[in-house]
Amino acid sequence: LLLPIIGKIVFSMDDSSPLMNLGKRTPGVVRSIVEPFVAFLTQMSQAHPHTGKIIAISLIPLVVFLRGLFSYLNVYLMQWAAVRSIVDLRIKLFEHLQSLSLSFFQKKNTGQLISLVNSDTITLQSTISGALPVMIKDPVTVVTLAVLLFSLHTYLTFIILLTFPICVLPVLIYTKKVRNSSARIQSSAAESSGLLHEGFTGIRIVKAYNLEQTVVARFRQSCQQFTSHYMRIIRSQEIPGPLIEFMGSLGVASLFYIFALKARTSPVDFLQFVFTVFLMYRPIKNLVRLHSQLEAARSASARVFQVLEIKPDIVDPPAPVPLHARNADIVYDIPHFSYGDKNVLHDIHLTVKGGLMVALVGSSGSGKTTLTNLLLRFYDPQKGSVRISGTNIRDVAMKDLRSQIGVVTQETLLFNDTVRNNIAMGRPGASHAEVESAARHAHAHDFIMEKKGGYDFVIGERGNLFSGGQRQRLAIARAILKNAPILILDEATSSLDTESERAIQAALDGLMQGRTTICIAHRLSTIQRADLIVVMDKGRIVEEGKHSELIKNGGIYRHLYELQFSDLALRP
């Protein structure tokens, strides 16, 4: 449309020129918008010939600039909307995953969850940024061109539209393949993420057992499956396009035949009709490809929204009651507890007196850690209850409950952050003096200061820049800083050497003063001074008492003790 405007003003063309006839073929809606502007430029060129010509010629770079500007804004804003939507979805998904119960994570592979948050959402991002313009623009283009075709030649347009279902047939054939391959490609991506996670986190074992080639072979097989499914999707997306074009070419050949032999139509009308038909190919092809993209996005989004629909097993009560845990008794009254079909606890009736230390001992799998998990409300018993100061912990907000329990576990978890921030997680907002005091009590200050930056030293992923014993002492410092009225020690000194264990045990003895402490230990030397020792076997409490009493009874506790100490240790 720009060419007739410039031609009329610059070269003084009349309305009968071929270029002006081309402008007259512009759709009426567009002409009604542009013609007032053309009239204004024509009047100006007549009043001021040079100024009008300069303005008309300036339209060329102006229109190109505006086209480039709006094209840039279109791409930029669409990408911005897509990435913001996906970031919001990722945050919501990760937040939801964090709210789910521990039982959910025991059934899921870490790689699958990482793939869910990353790979699946990336698929949705590309669909939003690429598909939305096609969904809006191309259908309008197809409808507009169809209306134009009807205005040019109604009979032939009906014939073309009747052949359209034949063109859609390849799309229907390949839709199912796209859907199946999209689901499998997400599974392959999740499997690859899981293998990467295992290969990186277990690198010491991989190298120790010469498993490098085995791990690489598994990863290669997973990548080959990913490639196979990905190429199947590409084939399903690209094959329908050429098929549609081929069928369309048959239709165009038929049009040539009709126009050449049967119809009485001018060459200009004939070329305009054929050109309009060809203009429909690209948007129709884009819509076909869009269908495949939407199928892939549906497979990815199905996994995402399935997880978002999962409700946590452990939820806060509608009206939580306050909890006063200091010097309060903890009472377990649990007829039985099971993880799914596996019974773990049987007839548990145990009272932990406030301010005292109770040690749980027994062989692996006897149910010791399960008791602490129930206290932290990682799980709820199917029957019975756990009460603190007479309050059922189901009636307490989880944040309130867990804020009053300090935990030091055998599996120390440290974050890739500074030493100060890792310790301060025990009590966010603690001052540097309080952090340092907790580290000194945990006998961690000296080795912290040996690192460059001291408390600002970044400890690496999972604290791998410290030894196992040092990581354990940092975890103990975190618990000391939290200063909670209830303390859970799950093999808290298992990674320490004898000298460090004695130092830490002294610090823990000071920490446990005036606190209700539940200690799980395989090293019986660390719990001999416990106020009560509870012996568990196969999910049952089989013995209770002090160290000396249990030794005299000659039961399971004495047997465990004899396994760790020589006969001389039993003599007076």
Side-chain angles (χ1 to χ4, degrees), residues 316-386:
D316 281 332
V321 299
L323 178 66
H324 304 285
R326 188 164 297 278
N327 294 322
D329 293 351
I330 302 172
V331 179
Y332 288 90
D333 185 12
I334 304 173
H336 73 87
F337 173 77
S338 62
Y339 296 117
D341 297 332
K342 180 182 178 182
N343 290 327
V344 180
L345 299 178
H346 309 272
D347 298 324
I348 300 297
H349 303 284
L350 173 66
T351 299
V352 179
K353 292 294 184 180
L356 301 182
M357 173 186 175
V358 172
L360 303 178
V361 300
S363 59
S364 298
S366 59
K368 306 183 297 298
T369 301
T370 300
L371 286 180
T372 60
N373 287 340
L374 291 173
L375 179 60
L376 287 162
R377 210 178 167 218
F378 292 158
Y379 303 91
D380 280 335
Q382 287 80 21
K383 290 185 179 180
S385 64
V386 179

Side-chain angles (χ1 to χ4, degrees), residues 370-411:
T370 300
L371 286 180
T372 60
N373 287 340
L374 291 173
L375 179 60
L376 287 162
R377 210 178 167 218
F378 292 158
Y379 303 91
D380 280 335
Q382 287 80 21
K383 290 185 179 180
S385 64
V386 179
R387 299 187 298 276
I388 300 177
S389 188
T391 303
N392 191 331
I393 61 174
R394 292 191 182 191
D395 299 329
V396 180
M398 284 183 285
K399 186 174 182 180
D400 185 18
L401 170 67
R402 293 166 186 171
S403 68
Q404 301 189 57
I405 303 176
V407 182
V408 181
T409 63
Q410 180 180 7
E411 184 181 356

Side-chain angles (χ1 to χ4, degrees), residues 1 7 30 89 162 166 175 177 198-199 274 299 308 355 366 405 452 467 521 536 545:
L1 183 62
V30 179
L89 179 61
L162 288 175
I166 301 176
T175 294
K177 293 184 178 181
E198 291 177 353
V274 173
S299 298
L308 288 175
S366 59
I405 303 176
K452 184 179 180 180
S467 67
M536 301 190 66

Side-chain angles (χ1 to χ4, degrees), residues 25 56 63 70 87 109 154 159 168 172 175 207 228 259 291 316 342 377-378 397 447 455 492 551 567:
R25 293 182 179 275
V63 170
F70 286 112
V87 166
N109 180 278
T154 305
I159 295 177
V168 176
L172 300 177
T175 294
K207 290 186 175 296
S228 175
F259 272 113
H291 186 74
D316 281 332
K342 180 182 178 182
R377 210 178 167 218
F378 292 158
F447 72 77
Y455 285 86
I551 290 295
D567 293 338

Side-chain angles (χ1 to χ4, degrees), residues 278-310:
F278 274 108
L279 285 178
M280 295 183 70
Y281 281 167
R282 185 176 184 83
I284 291 176
K285 188 176 180 180
N286 290 339
L287 290 173
V288 170
R289 188 172 296 170
L290 169 66
H291 186 74
S292 299
Q293 292 176 344
L294 292 178
E295 287 296 330
R298 189 173 76 167
S299 298
S301 61
R303 287 159 43 96
V304 172
F305 290 107
Q306 281 174 2
V307 172
L308 288 175
E309 290 175 356
I310 297 175

Side-chain angles (χ1 to χ4, degrees), residues 129-140 283 286-288 290 293:
S129 61
L132 193 57
V134 175
M135 294 172 63
I136 297 174
K137 182 178 67 176
D138 287 341
V140 175
N286 290 339
L287 290 173
V288 170
L290 169 66
Q293 292 176 344

